[in-house]
Amino acid sequence: DFSRYTWVRFLSKKSECLEVFKKLVRGLEVDTGAQLKSVRSDCASEILGTQFSQFLDDRKGVTHWLAVPGAPEQNGVAERMNRTLMDKARSMMFNAGLAKCYWAEAASTACYLGNRTKSSSIAGHKTPFEMLYNQKPSVAHLKVFGCAAYVHDQKKAKKKLEKRAIKCLFIGYSVYSKGYRVWDLENKRLLTRRDVVFDETSFPMKKATCKKAEI
């Protein structure tokens, strides 16, 4: 609420919620030096489960606030951000010509960009990144979502006239390292690299289709 900084994590199934939440909390506590004091959520079954409640009980002093069913405004900041991120993700996917199977990558990138964009909800119109880390974020590395990206081919044994780059699709920024996330169009694999050359005027998937759950 204070910084408007946002984190998103994606689940394959609801049972993963607790472990993903634990990992996020541990990372934030190490990163900021602060301790978890309260949690505000809706009444989803994966959050009201015994194990989740036990985890919060074991961390003495943590308060769990629940929004009343049918009253999402009680968790207004998170609910509004969820809508904002999906609106942005949808626009980014349309612009790049991407199919719905890329929605998680688009939402993650929208979140990354939002944390580095000035917010009217913050005094002085600062960025959430600046509010949390007390320094202005760099934007020099930002690229157009869904554009063509050429990655250096790291295979050692190559003949003189063989290509040295792999044509990929730019799909976001790594959460765990300083690298770009790109999708190898030829070999159908996800890569995280720094040695990338971008063509921000070209969108490889503009007229193409993709199979469900490709990533």
Side-chain angles (χ1 to χ4, degrees):
D1 283 353
F2 168 73
S3 69
R4 290 299 197 270
Y5 201 97
T6 306
W7 296 262
V8 294
R9 298 293 184 270
F10 302 96
L11 310 178
S12 297
K13 46 190 176 181
K14 291 184 177 181
S15 59
E16 298 173 352
C17 179
L18 178 58
E19 289 306 315
V20 170
F21 181 73
K22 285 181 178 179
K23 186 175 181 180
L24 177 61
V25 170
R26 286 195 297 266
L28 291 178
E29 290 183 337
V30 171
D31 197 26
T32 65
Q35 295 294 312
L36 179 67
K37 295 295 184 182
S38 66
V39 176
R40 184 180 296 275
S41 72
D42 58 18
C43 295
S45 58
E46 63 270 23
I47 296 176
L48 295 180
T50 303
Q51 291 183 323
F52 200 100
S53 298
Q54 186 62 53
F55 169 70
L56 296 180
D57 288 342
D58 290 342
R59 300 174 64 90
K60 302 185 187 317
V62 175
T63 304
H64 189 186
W65 300 94
L66 291 171
V68 175
E73 63 275 8
Q74 292 187 348
N75 196 17
V77 174
E79 293 287 351
R80 178 58 190 172
M81 181 56 69
N82 183 54
R83 178 180 174 181
T84 298
L85 290 180
M86 293 311 299
D87 285 346
K88 290 181 178 180
R90 185 167 55 252
S91 297
M92 291 161 56
M93 291 168 63
F94 286 157
N95 180 67
L98 297 184
K100 293 179 181 179
C101 58
Y102 291 95
W103 77 269
E105 300 295 341
S108 180
T109 302
C111 179
Y112 185 92
L113 297 175
N115 287 331
R116 289 156 179 79
T117 304
K118 292 182 179 181
S119 172
S120 59
S121 299
I122 300 174
H125 290 251
K126 295 182 179 180
T127 66
F129 186 97
E130 189 174 358
M131 292 296 291
L132 187 65
Y133 296 108
N134 201 30
Q135 64 180 19
K136 292 184 178 181
S138 171
V139 295
H141 63 293
L142 300 183
K143 305 298 178 181
V144 178
F145 180 77
C147 72
Y150 296 87
V151 176
H152 176 65
D153 192 340
Q154 297 181 339
K155 292 181 180 178
K156 294 182 179 179
K158 297 185 74 65
K159 295 181 181 180
K160 290 183 179 179
L161 298 180
E162 286 188 302
K163 62 181 182 180
R164 293 294 190 266
I166 304 170
K167 186 174 182 179
C168 299
L169 177 72
F170 170 57
I171 55 173
Y173 309 87
S174 175
V175 176
Y176 304 105
S177 63
K178 292 183 178 180
Y180 295 105
R181 289 167 58 84
V182 296
W183 181 250
D184 183 345
L185 295 169
E186 181 178 348
N187 300 300
K188 306 298 180 184
R189 56 178 178 167
L190 180 65
L191 304 173
T192 300
R193 298 287 178 79
R194 289 292 294 173
D195 51 342
V196 186
V197 176
F198 296 91
D199 182 354
E200 296 182 85
T201 64
S202 174
F203 297 91
M205 303 298 287
K206 201 73 172 182
K207 296 181 180 179
T209 58
C210 79
K211 296 181 181 179
K212 188 177 181 180
E214 197 173 59
I215 294 181

